[in-house]
Amino acid sequence: MELTALTEAVIGRLFVELEASGRHVHVTAQQAQQLFGHGLTPKRPLSQPGQYLANERVTVIGPKGEFQNVAVLGPERGEAQVEISLTDGRALGITPPVRPSGDVTDTPGIILKTDRAQVQLPRGVIAAQRHIHVHPSDAARLGVADKQLVKLQTYTQRPVTFEKLLVRVSPDFATRVHLDIDEANACGFRPGDLGRILHE
Amino acid sequence: MELTALTEAVIGRLFVELEASGRHVHVTAQQAQQLFGHGLTPKRPLSQPGQYLANERVTVIGPKGEFQNVAVLGPERGEAQVEISLTDGRALGITPPVRPSGDVTDTPGIILKTDRAQVQLPRGVIAAQRHIHVHPSDAARLGVADKQLVKLQTYTQRPVTFEKLLVRVSPDFATRVHLDIDEANACGFRPGDLGRILHE
């Protein structure tokens, strides 16, 4: 094996690509209709298969502040969810609980607004729990199982080991670590940076 | 020894209190005069002896955005310094290098503004490198020396181990870990939370 190929094989065996998720919104088909007059339309695909950044954008309004031009991710979901950082929460006047995606029981609500309409979400605001999407074909090499909590060391400008990183394994996933913007900035993340799961 | 006293002794031996530093500005005596018409006046003391939050506030203006009502810390210094998070940098349109306090060679400038005046700083914008202030009486128990880089595990809502935490030992210091807001939010810091230096 050539050195380059060997290096790549070792990197592929040990390391996982990091991604930073900015603040974003998921809406239902009905809410998309209300807010935009039509369903979501894809602008560009995301790393997770079938997921996309929509052309549509919304304003999210909290008790103390708002963010305009917030990304909406498609496809539409069964229930709306607004994923923000704790820093964002301070600006909005909302304290988002740290939750896995989809776990919106007893979470704060928020207002979504466009030129067409305003929708009051009764719940759905979370700070996404740090997690790693794992394709089943990668689970063995990484030594992880679905729902496990693992430690991940970042190879970044300001290195950090994130504890309690939630493992999610599914054939629908591409293998990627997802950090929120606070976490990404705390470790000095730059696109292309890698992390390594620590087995202690 | 009573259990409570024993517990406190163990905690005092192993753990260090964490603090989160929000965005703030240090100015020279001359700049204070220009911006406020007088020297800085203390509003409340900070944990580091002699340091204080000033009554005076400034607007900091970058190429893409500004923050109003930014904290000024006293006493005045020999050179101005503006400490922001990487998140703040994005909003301002400035990429602050991660630096220890005082290391402002080749750093970006910024504008400070008040009702009275506007001061263009030619340099001084940094993201403060995560650090621990250590009083010499605590250095031995913590097993650290000045300028060392150590790992620190946080006992917080979203636990993180921060690598490359800069140790600074001085009789002028109270023993505290200083994180910026990105780091504080990344670990889910709440006032009173503790960290532990890891010796591996």
Side-chain angles (χ1 to χ4, degrees):
Chain A
M1 203 184 278
E2 282 179 47
L3 187 60
T4 313
L6 179 65
T7 306
E8 280 182 11
V10 168
I11 288 175
R13 172 90 180 70
L14 295 177
F15 293 87
V16 182
E17 194 172 334
L18 309 179
E19 289 182 340
S21 301
R23 71 179 77 103
H24 66 267
V25 171
H26 299 278
V27 295
T28 66
Q30 190 190 351
Q31 288 160 350
Q33 197 63 41
Q34 288 179 266
L35 291 164
F36 311 114
H38 53 76
L40 297 177
T41 60
K43 181 182 170 78
R44 63 173 175 80
L46 301 175
S47 63
Q48 295 304 313
Q51 306 296 304
Y52 59 84
L53 173 68
N55 290 301
E56 292 74 25
R57 300 247 160 187
V58 293
T59 295
V60 299
I61 305 175
K64 282 196 185 171
E66 64 175 49
F67 291 116
Q68 299 176 357
N69 207 31
V70 175
V72 179
L73 304 191
E76 294 87 347
R77 291 193 174 182
E79 179 166 0
Q81 182 168 293
V82 176
E83 299 182 37
I84 62 174
S85 69
L86 301 184
T87 297
D88 290 342
R90 189 68 69 92
L92 292 170
I94 293 175
T95 303
V98 178
R99 293 282 184 87
S101 183
D103 181 3
V104 294
T105 309
D106 295 328
T107 56
I110 201 163
I111 293 167
L112 305 183
K113 187 169 172 291
T114 61
D115 290 342
R116 279 181 66 93
Q118 185 164 310
V119 171
Q120 168 74 56
L121 302 182
R123 65 179 193 176
V125 180
I126 65 169
Q129 182 177 349
R130 59 179 75 127
H131 58 279
I132 175 170
H133 294 274
V134 181
H135 190 269
S137 65
D138 289 323
R141 78 169 173 90
L142 293 171
V144 298
D146 193 41
K147 299 200 171 105
Q148 196 182 352
L149 294 172
V150 297
K151 289 189 185 187
L152 178 105
Q153 183 172 21
T154 69
Y155 290 77
T156 50
Q157 187 195 8
R158 304 199 277 187
V160 155
T161 298
F162 291 110
E163 301 180 33
K164 299 189 180 175
L165 182 81
L166 177 65
V167 175
R168 298 175 59 203
V169 180
S170 162
D172 298 336
F173 291 158
T175 300
R176 292 282 193 293
V177 171
H178 280 181
L179 304 174
D180 76 10
I181 294 296
D182 288 334
E183 293 166 332
N185 283 333
C187 71
F189 164 81
R190 291 166 184 172
D193 282 344
L194 302 175
R196 186 165 69 88
I197 292 171
L198 300 182
H199 297 286
E200 289 168 349
Chain B
M1 204 185 280
E2 281 181 48
L3 188 59
T4 313
L6 179 64
T7 306
E8 280 181 12
V10 168
I11 288 176
R13 172 92 179 68
L14 296 176
F15 294 88
V16 181
E17 193 172 335
L18 308 180
E19 289 183 341
S21 301
R23 71 179 77 104
H24 66 267
V25 171
H26 299 277
V27 294
T28 66
Q30 190 190 353
Q31 288 159 351
Q33 197 63 38
Q34 288 179 266
L35 291 164
F36 312 114
H38 53 76
L40 298 176
T41 60
K43 181 181 169 78
R44 65 172 174 78
L46 301 175
S47 63
Q48 294 305 312
Q51 306 296 304
Y52 59 85
L53 174 68
N55 291 301
E56 292 73 25
R57 300 247 161 188
V58 292
T59 297
V60 300
I61 305 175
K64 281 195 183 171
E66 65 175 51
F67 290 115
Q68 298 175 358
N69 207 31
V70 174
V72 178
L73 304 191
E76 294 87 347
R77 291 195 176 180
E79 179 167 359
Q81 182 168 293
V82 177
E83 299 182 37
I84 62 173
S85 68
L86 300 184
T87 297
D88 290 342
R90 190 68 71 93
L92 292 170
I94 292 175
T95 303
V98 178
R99 293 282 183 86
S101 183
D103 181 3
V104 294
T105 309
D106 295 327
T107 56
I110 201 163
I111 294 168
L112 305 182
K113 187 171 173 291
T114 62
D115 290 343
R116 279 182 66 93
Q118 185 163 311
V119 172
Q120 168 73 55
L121 302 181
R123 65 180 195 175
V125 180
I126 65 169
Q129 182 178 349
R130 58 180 74 126
H131 58 277
I132 175 169
H133 294 273
V134 181
H135 190 270
S137 66
D138 289 323
R141 77 169 174 91
L142 293 172
V144 298
D146 193 40
K147 300 202 171 101
Q148 196 182 352
L149 294 172
V150 297
K151 290 190 185 188
L152 178 105
Q153 183 171 24
T154 70
Y155 290 76
T156 50
Q157 188 195 8
R158 303 199 277 187
V160 156
T161 297
F162 290 111
E163 301 181 33
K164 298 188 180 175
L165 182 80
L166 177 66
V167 175
R168 298 176 58 202
V169 180
S170 163
D172 298 335
F173 292 158
T175 299
R176 293 282 194 294
V177 171
H178 280 182
L179 304 173
D180 76 9
I181 295 297
D182 288 334
E183 293 166 332
N185 283 333
C187 72
F189 164 82
R190 291 167 184 171
D193 282 344
L194 301 175
R196 186 165 69 88
I197 292 171
L198 300 182
H199 297 286
E200 289 168 347

